[in-house]
Amino acid sequence: MESYTCSDFPVYHTAFDSYEWLTKHADPLFHRHVVVAGIWGLLALHLADESILPFDYLTYVEQLQRHTGSLSKLLDRSISLHPLVNSIQELASAARGVEYEIKQLRGQESRGDHVDLKLRALNDRLMLAERGFLDVEGLQGRQWFKHLIYGPPSDYESKLEFFPGIADALSQSTRKSQQNRQAAIQHEIWRVARAIERAASALQGNLT
């Protein structure tokens, strides 16, 4: 998900952020819209045509590790990131196994129907892994947002552009006691860790 700052898009969330301003000043001929539509169209074709879904969970792991490092700088030592770190390690192990499996299957793609069945099973795991990052209860107070890794924080001045539930807990914690603050943040960390564990479990073939 892309987030904007005032320097990127000066009229963002102002009275000038309107269709009229866009057509008169920003992009009268809608060139950017055409480009974005083309990108999404190519992505759709890529997803439809590939025999193996182009989901790179090793890169996902690297992003999660960077996000965790950034998060650690905002927390005091009373908050434990061990659940998050451990779940990312589990996802890393599952992702390495999938990458090895993909290499094996690419060398067998022209060898018969049994390979097609393996490809279908692998694609199912890749799809369900991404769904693992969703939580049926959604974010607290904003249940329509289900993804626990990427999503908009409720506070647009938040320093986190990821882990939206944790970002919300951090923003709202200033109004709580020290104990309740720690509990709220730790609860959201556990929720994210469990989501990552679900994704790792799906990659490993535990389809539930």
Side-chain angles (χ1 to χ4, degrees):
M1 175 190 157
E2 185 176 359
S3 60
Y4 291 104
T5 65
C6 289
S7 61
D8 298 325
F9 189 51
V11 302
Y12 184 56
H13 274 210
T14 71
F16 298 100
D17 191 359
S18 65
Y19 178 82
E20 182 180 5
W21 182 85
L22 177 70
T23 55
K24 286 186 176 180
H25 306 288
D27 191 11
L29 298 179
F30 290 86
H31 291 307
R32 291 177 178 84
H33 293 74
V34 173
V35 171
V36 171
I39 290 172
W40 282 108
L42 288 173
L43 177 60
L45 289 172
H46 192 38
L47 289 170
D49 290 343
E50 288 288 335
S51 59
I52 299 175
L53 291 173
F55 292 172
D56 184 354
Y57 284 99
L58 286 176
T59 298
Y60 218 133
V61 166
E62 292 174 2
Q63 292 175 346
L64 289 171
Q65 289 170 335
R66 287 196 298 270
H67 295 340
T68 302
S70 298
L71 176 61
S72 68
K73 298 175 183 177
L74 302 176
L75 302 177
D76 57 49
R77 294 184 179 180
S78 64
I79 308 295
S80 174
L81 285 174
H82 289 306
L84 196 52
V85 171
N86 291 339
S87 65
I88 293 171
Q89 289 176 345
E90 184 179 344
L91 181 62
S93 177
R96 287 192 292 269
V98 164
E99 285 299 307
Y100 176 78
E101 185 177 351
I102 288 173
K103 289 179 181 178
Q104 295 294 106
L105 285 174
R106 289 208 185 280
Q108 303 172 11
E109 281 189 89
S110 61
R111 298 186 186 178
D113 293 339
H114 70 286
V115 176
D116 291 338
L117 294 175
K118 289 181 180 179
L119 290 171
R120 174 61 185 270
L122 174 60
N123 283 329
D124 286 346
R125 284 156 51 202
L126 291 168
M127 286 189 294
L128 287 174
E130 175 59 31
R131 294 176 189 174
F133 298 124
L134 304 178
D135 188 282
V136 66
E137 296 180 359
L139 303 181
Q140 291 190 20
R142 301 185 297 149
Q143 291 80 4
W144 50 92
F145 289 117
K146 306 294 186 183
H147 207 287
L148 298 187
I149 309 301
Y150 295 109
S154 59
D155 180 2
Y156 284 96
E157 294 183 358
S158 172
K159 296 180 180 178
L160 291 182
E161 297 179 354
F162 43 84
F163 302 153
I166 300 175
D168 289 353
L170 281 167
S171 299
Q172 298 163 7
S173 65
T174 56
R175 302 188 295 269
K176 299 179 179 179
S177 67
Q178 176 74 1
Q179 183 177 3
N180 289 339
R181 173 183 183 276
Q182 293 173 354
I185 296 171
Q186 194 68 66
H187 174 70
E188 291 300 329
I189 290 173
W190 273 107
R191 290 184 73 202
V192 175
R194 287 195 294 270
I196 296 172
E197 288 172 358
R198 288 195 297 270
S201 182
L203 281 183
Q204 292 165 345
N206 302 318
L207 308 179
T208 57

